[in-house]
Amino acid sequence: IMINIELNCASYEEAKKLKGKIISKVRKGDFDTWSYTSLQKKDLPLLEDFIFHNPEQFVNDKEKNVVFKVEIRGDKVVFIGGYWTGNPVPTYEMYALHTGRLTEMLLKIETIPPLKVLP
């Protein structure tokens, strides 16, 4: 079971700007234990954006292998829980733990819109 987070913005443009701000802060290291990567799917022109908590954990302990795909859906920034293939499927508790840490990180960003956690 994956857990998702939605940030409801006023418009698509606001959602795009907020996604860029979040990814920029993660890439710059503003959140110590978070990292960013992007992947390109076969036959798709767009990169997919991912953030994940404490990259050393999934190298040293593959049970903690939770990642969040970051995408825009209309006027929302959505964080979709997932995991790196080839590693064990994380438990619900592990998804919940990482979702909590993601929520904590998002709440540190000024001007964050209301968020909704969805199972």
Side-chain angles (χ1 to χ4, degrees):
I1 295 177
M2 297 184 201
I3 302 171
N4 301 329
I5 295 178
E6 288 184 355
L7 300 175
N8 300 302
C9 301
S11 65
Y12 170 81
E13 291 77 20
E14 185 180 309
K16 186 175 176 182
K17 184 176 176 182
L18 179 59
K19 176 186 172 189
K21 180 178 182 178
I22 293 166
I23 289 173
S24 174
K25 285 182 162 292
V26 171
R27 290 179 84 176
K28 288 191 308 186
D30 289 356
F31 304 109
D32 295 349
T33 60
W34 286 89
S35 291
Y36 165 84
T37 193
S38 62
L39 299 173
Q40 181 131 21
K41 276 193 172 177
K42 258 185 169 176
D43 303 324
L44 288 178
L46 300 176
L47 292 176
E48 294 183 309
D49 298 304
F50 295 87
I51 61 172
F52 46 97
H53 178 63
N54 199 346
E56 292 79 29
Q57 281 185 343
F58 72 80
V59 172
N60 298 327
D61 186 351
K62 296 190 183 310
E63 302 292 324
K64 297 179 178 179
N65 154 43
V66 176
V67 299
F68 293 93
K69 181 178 175 183
V70 187
E71 64 182 35
I72 298 171
R73 292 184 182 167
D75 62 351
K76 296 174 176 59
V77 179
V78 182
F79 299 84
I80 303 161
Y83 62 97
W84 298 119
T85 55
N87 288 337
V89 176
T91 63
Y92 180 80
E93 290 78 16
M94 193 56 59
Y95 276 121
L97 175 69
H98 284 262
T99 301
R101 290 182 176 163
L102 175 60
T103 301
E104 176 186 30
M105 185 265 291
L106 292 172
L107 291 172
K108 291 178 181 177
I109 298 174
E110 293 176 24
T111 67
I112 199 78
L115 60 88
K116 186 187 300 184
V117 177
L118 307 167

